[in-house]
Amino acid sequence: MSFDLSKLRAEWFGNVRGDLLAGTVVALALIPEAIAFSIIAGVDPKIGLYASFSIAVITAIVGGRPGMISAATAATAVLMITLVKSHGLQYLLAATVLAGIIQVFAGVFRLGYVMRFVSRSVMTGFVNALAILIFMAQLPELTNVPMLTYVMVAAGLAIIYLFPRLTKAIPSPLVCIIVLTVVAIALKLDVRTVGDMGELPSTLPFFLIPQIPLTLETFLIILPYSAAVAAVGLLESLMTAQIVDDLTDTKSQKNRECVGQGVANIATGFIGGMAGCAMIGQSVINIKSGGRGRLSCFFAGVALLFLIVVLGDLVRQIPMPALVAIMIMVSIGTFSWSSITNLRSHPRSSSIVMIATVIGVIATHNLAIGVLIGVLLSAVFFAWKIAQLFRVTSELSEDGTTRRYLVEGQLFFASSDDFTAAFDFKEALEKVVIDVTRAHIWDISSVAALDMVVLKFRREGAEVEILGLNQASETIVDKLAIHDKPGALERLMGH
């Protein structure tokens, strides 16, 4: 118990100053994004702002990844557009609650472990695609704008990258926001501000129950949206957790994170907020600003609510170029630049998976589809590589009556055709020995191939003996094979 208490104390209070400063930067950067995501979903800005507050605070407490920022996101917002247009806000809130319930069950059933099937190439592609999407999201703030906007963005980037050379005591993104805001107000510069993004709420959120009919029809309406939000939210959260793991050289609890995200979405639906998940951009801002513990995410949520409710008049005056500069910094820092130079040295299959993931995410603006493409390609290339390691050799006995076939490698669906093709069924033999001591039989395709080989040799009058089955192979052969069952030969000849 003392170990748990010390771990809890370290997660919350091991980096108080760094977490509070980083949380402040994140809170300021969350405001325009939450408003923008609300607009994407077709709801009032306060829906996204309340969601970002609620999700950040709750995942900080019950999530499995200290230092990771969760809030309202574009990935979940785009999935709700049709639901809001067709049925309205109340159905969105109900779908948010149901998505949270699904995520909690995912954590309870330990589905967080599916992350082990996501290859490094897919992770790199995911990161690069998100970096590109983050940069592309800033383009509306950089097109058809006065030259002054470009000057301020450039000044913001200069502060972000040069200020750390003077001191790292204060996060440079926070300095960027403060300096550019003071300059814009003092000189009365005509630039786009946070206030231009939408109206900020002036009251605290309160508990409410979504006003929807509690019927099976309603459930069937929101279920597809909830399932999609739950899947995309968990995928982005778990992959972001893995990235933060790598950035901080620490481990996260993936299944606890699933539950944490679910609890956060359930609570958010009951205070009038939209669904969300982990945010790679804000998480990178947090880490680069010195945030490491749970306090950074918790304070980001609390500070966000304080800023919009209490200091709303001041926050409205923050120039958008300051926040654009921060997000450009995030996109530059997030992109894996080494992956470009590695295209020459890495295996071609790994490069194809990485590029396909990037293209899939950018083309669809759907993280789940892009990652699914990458995972499927990884599986195909892996199966192909393993199939290439498979071989069958043979030797004939001195008297010419017995041939021994030695099978080496993994026998599964991708190598079963090569396995069957390796045997000469027309050779006049009295006995055939199939030695699988150096092989492993994996699936029904390989068992069917073994059946076919044995039965074809028996049809030609040869005795067949199978040697060297390991325990796992013997189990699947005993369960699925038919070559020793009555009528198997007649069944083959009937075909």
Side-chain angles (χ1 to χ4, degrees):
M1 185 66 178
S2 59
F3 173 79
D4 292 339
L5 286 174
S6 62
K7 181 181 178 181
L8 193 65
R9 193 180 299 113
E11 288 183 348
W12 277 96
F13 306 112
N15 181 40
V16 173
R17 184 176 175 280
D19 285 344
L20 292 179
L21 287 171
T24 303
V25 177
V26 170
L28 290 166
L30 275 175
I31 294 172
E33 290 204 356
I35 295 173
F37 301 152
S38 300
I39 294 171
I40 289 173
V43 296
D44 191 275
K46 69 179 181 182
I47 305 300
L49 291 166
Y50 285 160
S52 292
F53 151 71
S54 172
I55 295 170
V57 169
I58 294 173
T59 53
I61 298 171
V62 297
R65 173 64 263 179
M68 185 170 75
I69 305 297
S70 296
T73 61
T76 54
V78 295
L79 298 172
M80 293 294 197
I81 296 173
T82 306
L83 179 63
V84 172
K85 285 182 178 178
S86 303
H87 298 89
L89 172 63
Q90 296 301 317
Y91 277 75
L92 178 146
L93 302 181
T96 296
V97 173
L98 180 57
I101 293 172
I102 294 172
Q103 289 176 326
V104 169
F105 276 108
V108 170
F109 289 106
R110 307 177 73 81
L111 296 185
Y113 287 120
V114 300
M115 277 301 298
R116 67 179 67 186
F117 297 108
V118 179
S119 69
R120 176 60 58 179
S121 299
V122 176
M123 285 289 296
T124 303
F126 170 83
V127 169
N128 288 348
L130 278 178
I132 295 170
L133 289 179
I134 290 170
F135 181 79
M136 290 173 63
Q138 312 313 308
L139 295 181
E141 299 293 334
L142 297 172
T143 53
N144 300 319
V145 294
M147 182 59 67
L148 179 60
T149 299
Y150 299 112
V151 173
M152 292 194 72
V153 171
L157 288 170
I159 293 172
I160 289 170
Y161 286 108
L162 297 178
F163 186 79
R165 297 188 179 186
L166 298 177
T167 177
K168 294 184 179 179
I170 304 175
S172 60
L174 180 58
V175 176
C176 168
I177 291 172
I178 294 173
V179 170
L180 292 191
T181 301
V182 170
V183 170
I185 294 174
L187 300 180
K188 297 181 179 179
L189 300 178
D190 184 21
V191 293
R192 186 169 162 85
T193 65
V194 169
D196 296 325
M197 294 286 291
E199 189 62 33
L200 301 181
S202 57
T203 61
L204 295 174
F206 54 89
F207 180 83
L208 58 86
I209 297 176
Q211 299 300 306
I212 59 169
L214 299 177
T215 63
L216 178 61
E217 182 183 0
T218 301
F219 176 76
L220 294 177
I221 289 172
I222 65 174
L223 179 59
Y225 296 96
S226 298
V229 166
V232 170
L234 286 183
L235 181 63
E236 184 166 0
S237 297
L238 294 176
M239 297 193 76
T240 302
Q242 186 63 51
I243 291 164
V244 177
D245 288 355
D246 294 339
L247 288 174
T248 59
D249 292 325
T250 56
K251 289 185 178 181
S252 58
Q253 301 175 56
K254 301 296 190 300
N255 293 306
R256 179 177 172 180
E257 188 60 45
C258 294
V259 174
Q261 294 289 333
V263 171
N265 279 323
I266 292 171
T268 298
F270 284 123
I271 65 164
M274 58 195 284
C277 61
M279 306 176 74
I280 184 171
Q282 301 296 350
S283 297
V284 171
I285 290 177
N286 187 48
I287 298 302
K288 290 187 177 297
S289 298
R292 291 294 184 273
R294 295 182 181 275
L295 186 61
S296 60
C297 187
F298 179 86
F299 187 72
V302 173
L304 170 65
L305 191 64
F306 179 81
L307 287 168
I308 60 178
V309 175
V310 180
L311 301 179
D313 290 338
L314 182 60
V315 169
R316 288 184 183 91
Q317 300 180 64
I318 296 175
M320 284 303 297
L323 299 173
V324 169
I326 292 175
M327 297 313 294
I328 291 176
M329 175 271 290
V330 170
S331 67
I332 293 173
T334 301
F335 194 90
S336 175
W337 298 99
S338 62
S339 65
I340 297 177
T341 56
N342 289 337
L343 289 175
R344 289 185 175 182
S345 56
H346 282 185
R348 185 175 299 176
S349 58
S350 297
S351 298
I352 291 173
V353 168
M354 189 271 288
I355 294 171
T357 303
V358 172
I359 294 173
V361 172
I362 294 175
T364 63
H365 282 244
N366 189 318
L367 300 169
I369 292 177
V371 171
L372 181 61
I373 291 171
V375 170
L376 289 177
L377 277 177
S378 295
V380 169
F381 285 131
F382 175 76
W384 182 80
K385 288 177 182 177
I386 296 299
Q388 303 309 303
L389 300 176
F390 178 83
R391 69 172 185 168
V392 179
T393 55
S394 68
E395 59 179 6
L396 187 64
S397 62
E398 292 184 0
D399 60 7
T401 61
T402 303
R403 182 172 290 276
R404 184 186 188 91
Y405 287 92
L406 177 62
V407 184
E408 299 176 272
Q410 310 303 310
L411 183 53
F412 65 117
F413 62 89
S415 57
S416 57
D417 286 345
D418 291 337
F419 172 77
T420 306
F423 297 90
D424 181 4
F425 300 107
K426 297 302 180 181
E427 186 179 17
L429 297 169
E430 293 181 8
K431 184 176 182 179
V432 172
V433 177
I434 302 175
D435 187 348
V436 292
T437 306
R438 300 180 185 177
H440 190 104
I441 298 173
W442 284 101
D443 58 10
I444 191 170
S445 297
S446 51
V447 173
L450 182 63
D451 278 336
M452 184 66 69
V453 168
V454 172
L455 292 174
K456 281 188 174 182
F457 274 122
R458 287 177 179 170
R459 183 182 61 186
E460 300 300 324
E463 177 190 350
V464 180
E465 181 181 6
I466 301 173
L467 296 178
L469 284 170
N470 58 38
Q471 186 173 355
S473 299
E474 186 175 5
T475 300
I476 192 171
V477 168
D478 287 345
K479 182 178 181 180
L480 300 175
I482 64 168
H483 57 260
D484 284 334
K485 294 182 179 179
L489 186 58
E490 290 74 10
R491 208 180 312 172
L492 174 67
M493 295 181 71
H495 286 297

